[in-house]
Amino acid sequence: MGDTGVELGGPETESYSLILWTENSSLVNKDTISLIGPELAEAGSRSIAFGRIVILSIEGFTEENTFRRCREMEQMRFLLDLKGFMIRAVPQFQREWSRVSRDAISRGFSLGVLGSSLMRLFRELDYVTGSEIIFITENEDAIRKIRSLTGDTARIIAAMNKMAEEMSFDCSECEYRDVCDEAEDLRRMRDACVGNAARR
């Protein structure tokens, strides 16, 4: 691992990355960064489980723009330009693998620095009105628990991705049919996609 100080969410450990958004700004602890587990400098290993949950307050989302904006928010992490920090790969949906160099950690790089930089990027999006970030470095069990708590949300996002990417609207064959049946907003988004596809 060369100059690597800490590897976050590598392939041999648990990793979880999720962006949640709401139009109810009271649900977001604006400009708050929380950490469950040790900071990078106190990590007891060079490879640790890693979770990152971003909670955004947003405005102006419609059936037509939600997927595009969701993708835009997901891509913000790749705009990070922090010396000694590198996103290695995102091989699977809702995973993130990154590395922080020893030199960066010795110069004070922390998850607080990472979180603040992410928040600055999200502020550039005119539809984001506030952000909160939760990092989890405690252990693999903590990551698994967080993943199980947000499983329904993850399925909604996966259904939205499938709908937009595949442009397939055969609901009888879709593994996310139960999600759309329960999520009114997702049904409206699907109907908007069907209408757009028909006009092409």
Side-chain angles (χ1 to χ4, degrees), residues 154-194:
R155 279 185 53 78
I156 290 171
I157 294 169
M160 183 177 65
N161 286 338
K162 177 175 179 162
M163 189 171 46
E165 288 172 356
E166 296 181 12
M167 295 303 285
S168 171
F169 307 108
D170 183 1
C171 298
S172 64
E173 298 294 320
C174 181
E175 69 267 31
Y176 298 109
R177 181 178 178 180
D178 60 317
V179 176
C180 289
D181 286 346
E182 293 177 14
E184 179 65 31
D185 290 341
L186 203 53
R187 278 199 307 276
R188 285 199 305 269
M189 192 186 310
R190 179 195 60 211
D191 293 343
C193 286
V194 169

Side-chain angles (χ1 to χ4, degrees), residues 24-196:
N24 184 349
S25 60
S26 69
L27 297 176
V28 179
N29 295 314
K30 190 174 178 182
D31 300 328
T32 300
I33 300 169
S34 302
L35 174 60
I36 301 169
E39 246 303 351
L40 301 181
E42 286 84 47
S45 170
R46 289 182 67 191
S47 178
I48 62 173
F50 181 67
R52 178 180 53 80
I53 299 174
V54 176
I55 308 168
L56 302 172
S57 57
I58 51 90
E59 60 186 8
F61 275 45
T62 67
E63 291 84 1
E64 285 78 20
N65 68 25
T66 295
F67 178 75
R68 179 181 50 78
R69 288 181 172 187
C70 178
R71 276 299 167 91
E72 192 172 34
M73 292 185 296
E74 282 287 340
Q75 295 299 313
M76 295 308 282
R77 61 185 158 176
F78 298 112
L79 300 178
L80 285 168
D81 185 19
L82 298 168
K83 188 171 183 180
F85 173 80
M86 176 176 57
I87 293 180
R88 293 283 299 166
V90 186
Q92 296 172 331
F93 179 59
Q94 294 181 328
R95 283 189 62 92
E96 185 171 311
W97 174 21
S98 53
R99 289 182 176 172
V100 183
S101 72
R102 280 194 297 258
D103 184 52
I105 292 171
S106 70
R107 286 185 287 104
F109 186 92
S110 67
L111 293 172
V113 169
L114 177 59
S116 295
S117 298
L118 272 170
M119 285 180 168
R120 273 194 296 278
L121 287 172
F122 283 116
R123 278 197 288 271
E124 294 175 10
L125 301 173
D126 60 2
Y127 49 83
V128 173
T129 60
S131 59
E132 174 182 1
I133 299 179
I134 303 167
F135 292 111
I136 304 108
T137 60
E138 187 172 6
N139 55 41
E140 292 187 329
D141 253 2
I143 304 294
R144 284 191 282 266
K145 285 177 186 170
I146 294 291
R147 184 182 288 117
S148 70
L149 289 172
T150 58
D152 289 346
T153 301
R155 279 185 53 78
I156 290 171
I157 294 169
M160 183 177 65
N161 286 338
K162 177 175 179 162
M163 189 171 46
E165 288 172 356
E166 296 181 12
M167 295 303 285
S168 171
F169 307 108
D170 183 1
C171 298
S172 64
E173 298 294 320
C174 181
E175 69 267 31
Y176 298 109
R177 181 178 178 180
D178 60 317
V179 176
C180 289
D181 286 346
E182 293 177 14
E184 179 65 31
D185 290 341
L186 203 53
R187 278 199 307 276
R188 285 199 305 269
M189 192 186 310
R190 179 195 60 211
D191 293 343
C193 286
V194 169
N196 290 339

